[in-house]
Amino acid sequence: MRRSTTADQIKQLILTRDLKPGDLLPTEAELCETLGVSRSSVREAMRTLATLDIVEVRYGHGTFVGGMSLDPMVEALVFRGVLSPDGSMEALREVVEVRVALDLALADLVVARASAGGADADALRSLVAEMVRRADRGESFLEADRAFHTTLFAATGNRLAEQLVGAFWDVHTAVIPLLEIPMPDDIRQTAVAHGEMLDAALAGDVEAYRKAVISHYEPLQRSLAAEATRG
């Protein structure tokens, strides 16, 4: 059985006191007294928890409960994706496969909520139009792409799903430039497929939504396959 650390004790204190992101934590001296540990132990624990976004140290103001974002996971996966030249392409392929799996697995929930009026249809249509315009000019549309996926998944009301979709999107878009993978020639298909996903979701058509999801990833997957063959 793993021995409880000071970091574990601080996490338990956050839970016990029902603290929320942004709430002020006890001072270092108070934590030492409450937990029965040394200042060095508290400081080391805070450094560990800060890297995980569980706490946020604001110098001159105190230590607060962090935002609990998935940023540490994103950074670790990006590093994993470029760590080994031999395995980096395979790592990226795995990330894309996870993105596809998430989109397909949550298709029923996305479509149910979107067709019931839970999605910001106007904002999503505007993002699709921007992506198509940029694709027609041979430009990338990364910001609009990410905003589309997170906005669409926000309609599910599942905050974790929304964060995971955004996190894995961040990983693959961070790794692609590092591996110098060119933009797919048929990038317009990706842009148009976003519109097909939206239309299907709003219409309550799960099967059409799943087909659009697959179409959306096809150019990227072909590009990855081509690069793997070249390598």
mmCIF file with all atom_site columns, all heavy atoms in Angstrom, residues 195-215:
data_model
loop_
_atom_site.group_PDB
_atom_site.id
_atom_site.type_symbol
_atom_site.label_atom_id
_atom_site.label_alt_id
_atom_site.label_comp_id
_atom_site.label_asym_id
_atom_site.label_entity_id
_atom_site.label_seq_id
_atom_site.pdbx_PDB_ins_code
_atom_site.Cartn_x
_atom_site.Cartn_y
_atom_site.Cartn_z
_atom_site.occupancy
_atom_site.B_iso_or_equiv
_atom_site.pdbx_formal_charge
_atom_site.auth_seq_id
_atom_site.auth_comp_id
_atom_site.auth_asym_id
_atom_site.auth_atom_id
_atom_site.pdbx_PDB_model_num
ATOM 1   N N   . GLY A 1 195 ? -19.426 21.094 -40.921 1.00 0.00 ? 195 GLY A N   1
ATOM 2   C CA  . GLY A 1 195 ? -20.798 21.526 -41.192 1.00 0.00 ? 195 GLY A CA  1
ATOM 3   C C   . GLY A 1 195 ? -21.761 20.354 -41.238 1.00 0.00 ? 195 GLY A C   1
ATOM 4   O O   . GLY A 1 195 ? -22.904 20.449 -40.768 1.00 0.00 ? 195 GLY A O   1
ATOM 5   N N   . GLU A 1 196 ? -21.311 19.236 -41.802 1.00 0.00 ? 196 GLU A N   1
ATOM 6   C CA  . GLU A 1 196 ? -22.147 18.037 -41.868 1.00 0.00 ? 196 GLU A CA  1
ATOM 7   C C   . GLU A 1 196 ? -22.394 17.473 -40.472 1.00 0.00 ? 196 GLU A C   1
ATOM 8   O O   . GLU A 1 196 ? -23.496 16.992 -40.168 1.00 0.00 ? 196 GLU A O   1
ATOM 9   C CB  . GLU A 1 196 ? -21.474 16.998 -42.765 1.00 0.00 ? 196 GLU A CB  1
ATOM 10  C CG  . GLU A 1 196 ? -21.387 17.445 -44.230 1.00 0.00 ? 196 GLU A CG  1
ATOM 11  C CD  . GLU A 1 196 ? -20.501 16.528 -45.066 1.00 0.00 ? 196 GLU A CD  1
ATOM 12  O OE1 . GLU A 1 196 ? -19.772 15.694 -44.469 1.00 0.00 ? 196 GLU A OE1 1
ATOM 13  O OE2 . GLU A 1 196 ? -20.531 16.661 -46.304 1.00 0.00 ? 196 GLU A OE2 1
ATOM 14  N N   . MET A 1 197 ? -21.372 17.539 -39.626 1.00 0.00 ? 197 MET A N   1
ATOM 15  C CA  . MET A 1 197 ? -21.551 17.112 -38.231 1.00 0.00 ? 197 MET A CA  1
ATOM 16  C C   . MET A 1 197 ? -22.608 17.963 -37.545 1.00 0.00 ? 197 MET A C   1
ATOM 17  O O   . MET A 1 197 ? -23.492 17.446 -36.851 1.00 0.00 ? 197 MET A O   1
ATOM 18  C CB  . MET A 1 197 ? -20.224 17.210 -37.469 1.00 0.00 ? 197 MET A CB  1
ATOM 19  C CG  . MET A 1 197 ? -19.176 16.185 -37.837 1.00 0.00 ? 197 MET A CG  1
ATOM 20  S SD  . MET A 1 197 ? -17.534 16.551 -37.119 1.00 0.00 ? 197 MET A SD  1
ATOM 21  C CE  . MET A 1 197 ? -17.912 16.475 -35.361 1.00 0.00 ? 197 MET A CE  1
ATOM 22  N N   . LEU A 1 198 ? -22.518 19.268 -37.742 1.00 0.00 ? 198 LEU A N   1
ATOM 23  C CA  . LEU A 1 198 ? -23.459 20.179 -37.102 1.00 0.00 ? 198 LEU A CA  1
ATOM 24  C C   . LEU A 1 198 ? -24.883 19.958 -37.605 1.00 0.00 ? 198 LEU A C   1
ATOM 25  O O   . LEU A 1 198 ? -25.824 19.871 -36.806 1.00 0.00 ? 198 LEU A O   1
ATOM 26  C CB  . LEU A 1 198 ? -23.040 21.628 -37.358 1.00 0.00 ? 198 LEU A CB  1
ATOM 27  C CG  . LEU A 1 198 ? -23.968 22.706 -36.810 1.00 0.00 ? 198 LEU A CG  1
ATOM 28  C CD1 . LEU A 1 198 ? -24.146 22.560 -35.300 1.00 0.00 ? 198 LEU A CD1 1
ATOM 29  C CD2 . LEU A 1 198 ? -23.442 24.093 -37.157 1.00 0.00 ? 198 LEU A CD2 1
ATOM 30  N N   . ASP A 1 199 ? -25.035 19.861 -38.922 1.00 0.00 ? 199 ASP A N   1
ATOM 31  C CA  . ASP A 1 199 ? -26.366 19.645 -39.498 1.00 0.00 ? 199 ASP A CA  1
ATOM 32  C C   . ASP A 1 199 ? -27.001 18.363 -38.953 1.00 0.00 ? 199 ASP A C   1
ATOM 33  O O   . ASP A 1 199 ? -28.187 18.336 -38.602 1.00 0.00 ? 199 ASP A O   1
ATOM 34  C CB  . ASP A 1 199 ? -26.291 19.581 -41.025 1.00 0.00 ? 199 ASP A CB  1
ATOM 35  C CG  . ASP A 1 199 ? -25.980 20.929 -41.647 1.00 0.00 ? 199 ASP A CG  1
ATOM 36  O OD1 . ASP A 1 199 ? -26.160 21.953 -40.975 1.00 0.00 ? 199 ASP A OD1 1
ATOM 37  O OD2 . ASP A 1 199 ? -25.537 20.953 -42.817 1.00 0.00 ? 199 ASP A OD2 1
ATOM 38  N N   . ALA A 1 200 ? -26.200 17.296 -38.891 1.00 0.00 ? 200 ALA A N   1
ATOM 39  C CA  . ALA A 1 200 ? -26.711 16.013 -38.410 1.00 0.00 ? 200 ALA A CA  1
ATOM 40  C C   . ALA A 1 200 ? -27.085 16.088 -36.930 1.00 0.00 ? 200 ALA A C   1
ATOM 41  O O   . ALA A 1 200 ? -28.118 15.557 -36.506 1.00 0.00 ? 200 ALA A O   1
ATOM 42  C CB  . ALA A 1 200 ? -25.666 14.925 -38.632 1.00 0.00 ? 200 ALA A CB  1
ATOM 43  N N   . ALA A 1 201 ? -26.236 16.765 -36.142 1.00 0.00 ? 201 ALA A N   1
ATOM 44  C CA  . ALA A 1 201 ? -26.508 16.884 -34.706 1.00 0.00 ? 201 ALA A CA  1
ATOM 45  C C   . ALA A 1 201 ? -27.797 17.658 -34.459 1.00 0.00 ? 201 ALA A C   1
ATOM 46  O O   . ALA A 1 201 ? -28.640 17.246 -33.654 1.00 0.00 ? 201 ALA A O   1
ATOM 47  C CB  . ALA A 1 201 ? -25.336 17.561 -34.001 1.00 0.00 ? 201 ALA A CB  1
ATOM 48  N N   . LEU A 1 202 ? -27.970 18.765 -35.160 1.00 0.00 ? 202 LEU A N   1
ATOM 49  C CA  . LEU A 1 202 ? -29.163 19.585 -34.973 1.00 0.00 ? 202 LEU A CA  1
ATOM 50  C C   . LEU A 1 202 ? -30.425 18.867 -35.449 1.00 0.00 ? 202 LEU A C   1
ATOM 51  O O   . LEU A 1 202 ? -31.516 19.072 -34.909 1.00 0.00 ? 202 LEU A O   1
ATOM 52  C CB  . LEU A 1 202 ? -29.015 20.918 -35.707 1.00 0.00 ? 202 LEU A CB  1
ATOM 53  C CG  . LEU A 1 202 ? -27.899 21.845 -35.186 1.00 0.00 ? 202 LEU A CG  1
ATOM 54  C CD1 . LEU A 1 202 ? -27.783 23.071 -36.076 1.00 0.00 ? 202 LEU A CD1 1
ATOM 55  C CD2 . LEU A 1 202 ? -28.171 22.258 -33.742 1.00 0.00 ? 202 LEU A CD2 1
ATOM 56  N N   . ALA A 1 203 ? -30.254 17.995 -36.461 1.00 0.00 ? 203 ALA A N   1
ATOM 57  C CA  . ALA A 1 203 ? -31.394 17.258 -37.004 1.00 0.00 ? 203 ALA A CA  1
ATOM 58  C C   . ALA A 1 203 ? -31.714 16.000 -36.204 1.00 0.00 ? 203 ALA A C   1
ATOM 59  O O   . ALA A 1 203 ? -32.718 15.326 -36.455 1.00 0.00 ? 203 ALA A O   1
ATOM 60  C CB  . ALA A 1 203 ? -31.126 16.885 -38.461 1.00 0.00 ? 203 ALA A CB  1
ATOM 61  N N   . GLY A 1 204 ? -30.850 15.653 -35.250 1.00 0.00 ? 204 GLY A N   1
ATOM 62  C CA  . GLY A 1 204 ? -31.078 14.458 -34.448 1.00 0.00 ? 204 GLY A CA  1
ATOM 63  C C   . GLY A 1 204 ? -30.721 13.162 -35.158 1.00 0.00 ? 204 GLY A C   1
ATOM 64  O O   . GLY A 1 204 ? -31.186 12.091 -34.772 1.00 0.00 ? 204 GLY A O   1
ATOM 65  N N   . ASP A 1 205 ? -29.860 13.241 -36.174 1.00 0.00 ? 205 ASP A N   1
ATOM 66  C CA  . ASP A 1 205 ? -29.494 12.067 -36.981 1.00 0.00 ? 205 ASP A CA  1
ATOM 67  C C   . ASP A 1 205 ? -28.128 11.545 -36.523 1.00 0.00 ? 205 ASP A C   1
ATOM 68  O O   . ASP A 1 205 ? -27.083 12.014 -36.976 1.00 0.00 ? 205 ASP A O   1
ATOM 69  C CB  . ASP A 1 205 ? -29.447 12.461 -38.460 1.00 0.00 ? 205 ASP A CB  1
ATOM 70  C CG  . ASP A 1 205 ? -29.329 11.261 -39.390 1.00 0.00 ? 205 ASP A CG  1
ATOM 71  O OD1 . ASP A 1 205 ? -28.807 10.218 -38.948 1.00 0.00 ? 205 ASP A OD1 1
ATOM 72  O OD2 . ASP A 1 205 ? -29.753 11.375 -40.556 1.00 0.00 ? 205 ASP A OD2 1
ATOM 73  N N   . VAL A 1 206 ? -28.140 10.555 -35.656 1.00 0.00 ? 206 VAL A N   1
ATOM 74  C CA  . VAL A 1 206 ? -26.902 10.029 -35.081 1.00 0.00 ? 206 VAL A CA  1
ATOM 75  C C   . VAL A 1 206 ? -26.036 9.354  -36.142 1.00 0.00 ? 206 VAL A C   1
ATOM 76  O O   . VAL A 1 206 ? -24.814 9.526  -36.159 1.00 0.00 ? 206 VAL A O   1
ATOM 77  C CB  . VAL A 1 206 ? -27.205 9.030  -33.947 1.00 0.00 ? 206 VAL A CB  1
ATOM 78  C CG1 . VAL A 1 206 ? -25.909 8.419  -33.408 1.00 0.00 ? 206 VAL A CG1 1
ATOM 79  C CG2 . VAL A 1 206 ? -27.952 9.720  -32.819 1.00 0.00 ? 206 VAL A CG2 1
ATOM 80  N N   . GLU A 1 207 ? -26.661 8.586  -37.029 1.00 0.00 ? 207 GLU A N   1
ATOM 81  C CA  . GLU A 1 207 ? -25.889 7.872  -38.047 1.00 0.00 ? 207 GLU A CA  1
ATOM 82  C C   . GLU A 1 207 ? -25.180 8.846  -38.977 1.00 0.00 ? 207 GLU A C   1
ATOM 83  O O   . GLU A 1 207 ? -24.004 8.667  -39.313 1.00 0.00 ? 207 GLU A O   1
ATOM 84  C CB  . GLU A 1 207 ? -26.812 6.956  -38.856 1.00 0.00 ? 207 GLU A CB  1
ATOM 85  C CG  . GLU A 1 207 ? -26.076 6.000  -39.791 1.00 0.00 ? 207 GLU A CG  1
ATOM 86  C CD  . GLU A 1 207 ? -25.079 5.105  -39.080 1.00 0.00 ? 207 GLU A CD  1
ATOM 87  O OE1 . GLU A 1 207 ? -25.346 4.702  -37.928 1.00 0.00 ? 207 GLU A OE1 1
ATOM 88  O OE2 . GLU A 1 207 ? -24.019 4.822  -39.666 1.00 0.00 ? 207 GLU A OE2 1
ATOM 89  N N   . ALA A 1 208 ? -25.876 9.896  -39.398 1.00 0.00 ? 208 ALA A N   1
ATOM 90  C CA  . ALA A 1 208 ? -25.256 10.897 -40.266 1.00 0.00 ? 208 ALA A CA  1
ATOM 91  C C   . ALA A 1 208 ? -24.141 11.630 -39.520 1.00 0.00 ? 208 ALA A C   1
ATOM 92  O O   . ALA A 1 208 ? -23.114 11.985 -40.114 1.00 0.00 ? 208 ALA A O   1
ATOM 93  C CB  . ALA A 1 208 ? -26.305 11.897 -40.752 1.00 0.00 ? 208 ALA A CB  1
ATOM 94  N N   . TYR A 1 209 ? -24.338 11.842 -38.239 1.00 0.00 ? 209 TYR A N   1
ATOM 95  C CA  . TYR A 1 209 ? -23.309 12.505 -37.429 1.00 0.00 ? 209 TYR A CA  1
ATOM 96  C C   . TYR A 1 209 ? -22.051 11.645 -37.394 1.00 0.00 ? 209 TYR A C   1
ATOM 97  O O   . TYR A 1 209 ? -20.936 12.158 -37.579 1.00 0.00 ? 209 TYR A O   1
ATOM 98  C CB  . TYR A 1 209 ? -23.833 12.735 -36.016 1.00 0.00 ? 209 TYR A CB  1
ATOM 99  C CG  . TYR A 1 209 ? -22.820 13.356 -35.087 1.00 0.00 ? 209 TYR A CG  1
ATOM 100 C CD1 . TYR A 1 209 ? -22.633 14.736 -35.066 1.00 0.00 ? 209 TYR A CD1 1
ATOM 101 C CD2 . TYR A 1 209 ? -22.047 12.581 -34.231 1.00 0.00 ? 209 TYR A CD2 1
ATOM 102 C CE1 . TYR A 1 209 ? -21.698 15.326 -34.221 1.00 0.00 ? 209 TYR A CE1 1
ATOM 103 C CE2 . TYR A 1 209 ? -21.104 13.153 -33.377 1.00 0.00 ? 209 TYR A CE2 1
ATOM 104 C CZ  . TYR A 1 209 ? -20.941 14.521 -33.378 1.00 0.00 ? 209 TYR A CZ  1
ATOM 105 O OH  . TYR A 1 209 ? -20.000 15.084 -32.545 1.00 0.00 ? 209 TYR A OH  1
ATOM 106 N N   . ARG A 1 210 ? -22.203 10.353 -37.167 1.00 0.00 ? 210 ARG A N   1
ATOM 107 C CA  . ARG A 1 210 ? -21.039 9.463  -37.116 1.00 0.00 ? 210 ARG A CA  1
ATOM 108 C C   . ARG A 1 210 ? -20.311 9.420  -38.466 1.00 0.00 ? 210 ARG A C   1
ATOM 109 O O   . ARG A 1 210 ? -19.076 9.413  -38.515 1.00 0.00 ? 210 ARG A O   1
ATOM 110 C CB  . ARG A 1 210 ? -21.477 8.051  -36.710 1.00 0.00 ? 210 ARG A CB  1
ATOM 111 C CG  . ARG A 1 210 ? -21.872 7.924  -35.242 1.00 0.00 ? 210 ARG A CG  1
ATOM 112 C CD  . ARG A 1 210 ? -21.850 6.476  -34.793 1.00 0.00 ? 210 ARG A CD  1
ATOM 113 N NE  . ARG A 1 210 ? -22.084 6.365  -33.356 1.00 0.00 ? 210 ARG A NE  1
ATOM 114 C CZ  . ARG A 1 210 ? -23.238 6.032  -32.802 1.00 0.00 ? 210 ARG A CZ  1
ATOM 115 N NH1 . ARG A 1 210 ? -24.290 5.760  -33.576 1.00 0.00 ? 210 ARG A NH1 1
ATOM 116 N NH2 . ARG A 1 210 ? -23.373 5.954  -31.489 1.00 0.00 ? 210 ARG A NH2 1
ATOM 117 N N   . LYS A 1 211 ? -21.061 9.404  -39.547 1.00 0.00 ? 211 LYS A N   1
ATOM 118 C CA  . LYS A 1 211 ? -20.435 9.407  -40.879 1.00 0.00 ? 211 LYS A CA  1
ATOM 119 C C   . LYS A 1 211 ? -19.648 10.689 -41.099 1.00 0.00 ? 211 LYS A C   1
ATOM 120 O O   . LYS A 1 211 ? -18.548 10.683 -41.672 1.00 0.00 ? 211 LYS A O   1
ATOM 121 C CB  . LYS A 1 211 ? -21.505 9.246  -41.962 1.00 0.00 ? 211 LYS A CB  1
ATOM 122 C CG  . LYS A 1 211 ? -22.098 7.851  -42.045 1.00 0.00 ? 211 LYS A CG  1
ATOM 123 C CD  . LYS A 1 211 ? -23.141 7.763  -43.150 1.00 0.00 ? 211 LYS A CD  1
ATOM 124 C CE  . LYS A 1 211 ? -23.734 6.358  -43.232 1.00 0.00 ? 211 LYS A CE  1
ATOM 125 N NZ  . LYS A 1 211 ? -24.793 6.273  -44.271 1.00 0.00 ? 211 LYS A NZ  1
ATOM 126 N N   . ALA A 1 212 ? -20.198 11.807 -40.637 1.00 0.00 ? 212 ALA A N   1
ATOM 127 C CA  . ALA A 1 212 ? -19.516 13.094 -40.786 1.00 0.00 ? 212 ALA A CA  1
ATOM 128 C C   . ALA A 1 212 ? -18.248 13.139 -39.938 1.00 0.00 ? 212 ALA A C   1
ATOM 129 O O   . ALA A 1 212 ? -17.237 13.726 -40.352 1.00 0.00 ? 212 ALA A O   1
ATOM 130 C CB  . ALA A 1 212 ? -20.453 14.233 -40.416 1.00 0.00 ? 212 ALA A CB  1
ATOM 131 N N   . VAL A 1 213 ? -18.294 12.535 -38.753 1.00 0.00 ? 213 VAL A N   1
ATOM 132 C CA  . VAL A 1 213 ? -17.109 12.472 -37.892 1.00 0.00 ? 213 VAL A CA  1
ATOM 133 C C   . VAL A 1 213 ? -15.983 11.735 -38.608 1.00 0.00 ? 213 VAL A C   1
ATOM 134 O O   . VAL A 1 213 ? -14.828 12.188 -38.639 1.00 0.00 ? 213 VAL A O   1
ATOM 135 C CB  . VAL A 1 213 ? -17.430 11.776 -36.555 1.00 0.00 ? 213 VAL A CB  1
ATOM 136 C CG1 . VAL A 1 213 ? -16.141 11.404 -35.808 1.00 0.00 ? 213 VAL A CG1 1
ATOM 137 C CG2 . VAL A 1 213 ? -18.286 12.669 -35.680 1.00 0.00 ? 213 VAL A CG2 1
ATOM 138 N N   . ILE A 1 214 ? -16.311 10.598 -39.195 1.00 0.00 ? 214 ILE A N   1
ATOM 139 C CA  . ILE A 1 214 ? -15.307 9.800  -39.907 1.00 0.00 ? 214 ILE A CA  1
ATOM 140 C C   . ILE A 1 214 ? -14.756 10.584 -41.097 1.00 0.00 ? 214 ILE A C   1
ATOM 141 O O   . ILE A 1 214 ? -13.538 10.609 -41.342 1.00 0.00 ? 214 ILE A O   1
ATOM 142 C CB  . ILE A 1 214 ? -15.924 8.462  -40.370 1.00 0.00 ? 214 ILE A CB  1
ATOM 143 C CG1 . ILE A 1 214 ? -16.240 7.596  -39.137 1.00 0.00 ? 214 ILE A CG1 1
ATOM 144 C CG2 . ILE A 1 214 ? -14.976 7.716  -41.310 1.00 0.00 ? 214 ILE A CG2 1
ATOM 145 C CD1 . ILE A 1 214 ? -17.063 6.365  -39.433 1.00 0.00 ? 214 ILE A CD1 1
ATOM 146 N N   . SER A 1 215 ? -15.634 11.252 -41.837 1.00 0.00 ? 215 SER A N   1
ATOM 147 C CA  . SER A 1 215 ? -15.208 12.058 -42.981 1.00 0.00 ? 215 SER A CA  1
ATOM 148 C C   . SER A 1 215 ? -14.290 13.188 -42.534 1.00 0.00 ? 215 SER A C   1
ATOM 149 O O   . SER A 1 215 ? -13.313 13.532 -43.211 1.00 0.00 ? 215 SER A O   1
ATOM 150 C CB  . SER A 1 215 ? -16.432 12.628 -43.700 1.00 0.00 ? 215 SER A CB  1
ATOM 151 O OG  . SER A 1 215 ? -16.055 13.472 -44.769 1.00 0.00 ? 215 SER A OG  1
#
